[in-house]
Amino acid sequence: MVNGEIVGVFGIARDISEQKHFERQLSFNANHDRLTGLLNRVSLEDRLALDCHITRRHKRRLAVMCIDLDGFKSINDSIGHYYGDQVLIEVAQRMIQQVRPSDTVVRMGGDEFIVLLPDLLCDEDVVLVAERLMASIAKPYCVQGMDLHVSASVGITLSDGHIEQPMQLIQQADMAMYKAKQQGRNNFQWYTSDLNQRVCEHASLRNDLQKAIETQTLQLHYQPQIDARTGRVVGLEALLRWEHPEKGFISPAAFVPVAEDSGQIIPLSLWVLDTACAQLRQLSDQGVTSISMAVNISPMHFQRGHFVHYVQATLEKHGLRSEQLELEITESLLLNNADQAIETLHRLKALGVRIALDDFGTGFSSLSYLKRLPIDKIKIDRSFVQEIATDHNDAAITQGIISMAHHLSLKVVAEGVETASQMEFLKGSRCDVFQGYYFAKPMPFVELEAFLGFPTSMPDRQS
Ligand SMILES: [Mg+2]
């Protein structure tokens, strides 16, 4: 060992090992996620191909899981990325502990992970692993003395390894995960071929909607709101309408959720607000200044930064007074981050914009929130109004809502008023404003002008 030559050899050997180490480090960095140390998406395709091969050779079953954290975004958004990162590191460690060394855990990016289990004896074995993973992820994370919580939505697909394009398994697991999210999160769902069918429909709807946004073939219709005492039109609600070139009228209940998932809701929501304000301006120019315009606001748009600025800029652009605009919000706005939502509402209120709580009575309708919300109006959901003349429970609830709202100095709008007896009952219960087919259906702008008693528009004014 003290031989000079040997020492020389040692020197060379060390140089090579350093280089090897460096190369290994480079290759490690290329294939691994820097934050969690898990494999990254670069290595996924190779791993998956290898696992398909192993599964075929051993005649086993391969499970692919797509795992997305629930509630993670709000950690990043509300207390910062440092905390979010610590949670991700811990999630990765917990996941590794729940799988075998032959299994693979990949961080796809953000809070999405893929787990490959290539060596299952039977399909059901994956359930145990999914449940263990979900339970361990759902335990609290203590970061700098703060207890943080997330859960996991899991999509699962299975294969015998005989698949031409293994990456399709990732897509399938992703679709199933998406279904788990829709089922209320913190659960797992299997991929099924009908799921594929539905996702295809979903995708085609999304494409068509994109075209409709780009070519501006969506329309706003306006439904008048009638003052209960004077019988005059005091407001309008702008309602989005989509006439599909082949499929005909598509209900917002069908396409708004698609738009919310794809993010298209933001351009859509911007367009709605801008168009409604532009047409209210048009009415103002014709001397109608006492009518307000109600616009439904998507929670996603509302929660974005700059929402208040955008509202302000839109009002200024069209030269409208802020009290001419009414924003209709729903309670779902409060589900994610109630404090932040309430703060945004206060800022809108300071701007002078009116705020109405839509669909009242259908959600959790927490009365303690109602006290804290800086709102002007509540809109009683049509489902109550429908039965008020025949069902004494609905009648009692409606009367109760109206009386409570008045004690809180809130105005009450009844939606879906369709008959004279409903109108009479609501009038007797001191409801302030009516909206519904009994008075007027939602109508295109040109018809609205006629409804409001303007001389008929020139055809070229249609837009
Ligand atoms: Mg509404």
Side-chain angles (χ1 to χ4, degrees):
M1 287 296 284
V2 280
N3 186 305
E5 278 180 58
I6 294 173
V7 171
V9 169
F10 174 71
I12 293 163
R14 193 190 57 191
D15 279 347
I16 291 170
S17 77
E18 264 183 7
Q19 190 185 340
K20 287 281 172 209
H21 174 75
F22 185 63
E23 282 169 2
R24 270 202 304 272
Q25 192 65 43
L26 272 184
S27 129
F28 184 89
N29 287 348
N31 292 309
H32 288 77
D33 171 49
R34 286 179 76 160
L35 181 68
T36 60
L38 294 175
L39 286 168
N40 62 22
R41 61 193 315 152
V42 172
S43 28
L44 182 64
E45 196 162 354
D46 287 347
R47 281 291 170 134
L48 191 56
L50 182 66
D51 283 351
C52 281
H53 177 74
I54 291 170
T55 305
R56 282 197 304 271
R57 202 172 60 191
H58 297 292
K59 296 193 166 42
R60 293 289 175 96
R61 302 288 288 168
L62 165 69
V64 177
M65 274 194 253
C66 176
I67 299 181
D68 194 277
L69 302 184
D70 314 315
F72 176 75
K73 195 180 167 295
S74 68
I75 294 178
N76 264 350
D77 288 352
S78 57
I79 55 174
H81 288 263
Y82 170 78
Y83 289 85
D85 285 352
Q86 300 312 306
V87 170
L88 286 174
I89 292 168
E90 176 80 27
V91 165
Q93 283 165 0
R94 292 184 191 181
M95 286 172 77
I96 288 292
Q97 282 165 10
Q98 298 302 331
V99 299
R100 296 168 303 181
S102 55
D103 300 331
T104 299
V105 181
V106 174
R107 180 177 176 216
M108 293 295 275
D111 57 350
E112 193 176 324
F113 302 85
I114 296 285
V115 178
L116 307 177
L117 309 168
D119 200 19
L120 298 173
L121 279 173
C122 65
D123 289 350
E124 286 70 33
D125 288 352
V126 65
V127 173
L128 298 173
V129 184
E131 285 175 345
R132 279 209 314 266
L133 282 167
M134 284 168 53
S136 80
I137 289 172
K139 286 183 189 144
Y141 298 79
C142 184
V143 184
Q144 300 213 333
M146 205 187 286
D147 265 351
L148 303 172
H149 297 265
V150 294
S151 56
S153 293
V154 182
I156 306 171
T157 192
L158 292 157
S159 170
D160 56 6
H162 294 277
I163 179 164
E164 223 163 88
Q165 291 175 303
M167 286 303 274
Q168 280 179 351
L169 294 171
I170 304 295
Q171 274 174 17
Q172 293 174 359
D174 190 62
M175 287 176 204
M177 181 279 289
Y178 179 77
K179 187 175 157 201
K181 287 268 180 206
Q182 284 183 324
Q183 301 284 317
R185 298 149 186 246
N186 194 25
N187 70 108
F188 68 85
Q189 295 290 330
W190 301 95
Y191 167 78
T192 53
S193 53
D194 69 303
L195 191 54
N196 203 5
Q197 172 71 21
R198 249 183 300 154
V199 172
C200 284
E201 281 167 19
H202 204 99
S204 90
L205 200 57
R206 192 172 58 211
N207 287 342
D208 292 349
L209 183 59
Q210 189 58 35
K211 266 179 236 154
I213 293 171
E214 283 162 12
T215 56
Q216 305 215 340
T217 45
L218 293 155
Q219 266 202 337
L220 286 186
H221 284 196
Y222 299 93
Q223 188 168 35
Q225 298 176 330
I226 314 295
D227 185 285
R229 273 166 305 173
T230 64
R232 298 173 67 127
V233 178
V234 284
L236 301 166
E237 181 179 0
L239 295 158
L240 192 53
R241 291 286 178 267
W242 181 18
E243 184 87 39
H244 189 283
E246 287 126 40
K247 296 172 191 156
F249 172 74
I250 298 182
S251 157
F255 71 82
V256 166
V258 172
E260 281 179 337
D261 287 333
S262 64
Q264 287 165 318
I265 195 71
I266 302 293
L268 211 53
S269 185
L270 293 173
W271 178 83
V272 169
L273 189 60
D274 188 63
T275 307
C277 284
Q279 300 204 304
L280 182 61
R281 173 77 249 168
Q282 226 170 307
L283 290 179
S284 292
D285 290 344
Q286 297 177 70
V288 181
T289 51
S290 57
I291 292 182
S292 62
M293 177 68 78
V295 178
N296 294 283
I297 296 300
S298 150
M300 257 179 102
H301 188 199
F302 181 89
Q303 280 152 2
R304 281 253 177 139
H306 311 304
F307 178 73
V308 180
H309 289 292
Y310 185 77
V311 169
Q312 188 172 15
T314 308
L315 287 169
E316 281 166 12
K317 175 182 168 192
H318 299 290
L320 295 171
R321 287 174 284 116
S322 42
E323 67 270 20
Q324 288 176 277
L325 179 65
E326 186 170 293
L327 302 178
E328 291 194 6
I329 60 163
T330 57
E331 290 164 330
S332 60
L333 208 71
L334 303 169
L335 288 179
N336 272 336
N337 187 345
D339 289 335
Q340 202 192 330
I342 290 172
E343 201 224 294
T344 307
L345 288 173
H346 276 290
R347 285 168 55 212
L348 288 164
K349 195 78 184 142
L351 200 63
V353 168
R354 302 250 162 84
I355 295 156
L357 190 57
D358 209 357
D359 304 335
F360 191 81
T362 56
F364 59 95
S365 298
S366 160
L367 300 182
S368 60
Y369 271 134
L370 201 56
K371 194 175 65 181
R372 285 177 64 198
L373 293 179
I375 56 175
D376 302 279
K377 264 183 198 173
I378 59 174
K379 295 187 80 175
I380 303 180
D381 190 70
R382 61 180 65 249
S383 57
F384 293 105
V385 176
Q386 234 158 39
E387 305 292 331
I388 42 174
T390 49
D391 181 328
H392 68 274
N393 289 327
D394 282 339
I397 291 170
T398 304
Q399 281 176 325
I401 293 174
I402 295 173
S403 143
M404 177 190 64
H406 285 163
H407 280 109
L408 293 167
S409 307
L410 302 172
K411 283 201 163 189
V412 181
V413 183
E415 278 192 302
V417 183
E418 290 177 1
T419 66
S421 55
Q422 288 167 353
M423 189 269 287
E424 288 302 336
F425 178 87
L426 289 162
K427 212 171 185 175
S429 310
R430 297 179 49 237
C431 178
D432 303 288
V433 177
F434 303 135
Q435 182 179 340
Y437 282 16
Y438 182 69
F439 299 94
K441 292 185 177 183
M443 56 189 98
F445 189 70
V446 277
E447 278 177 39
L448 177 72
E449 289 180 304
F451 181 86
L452 294 174
F454 296 152
T456 321
S457 295
M458 303 302 287
D460 65 347
R461 284 255 332 270
Q462 286 192 16
S463 58

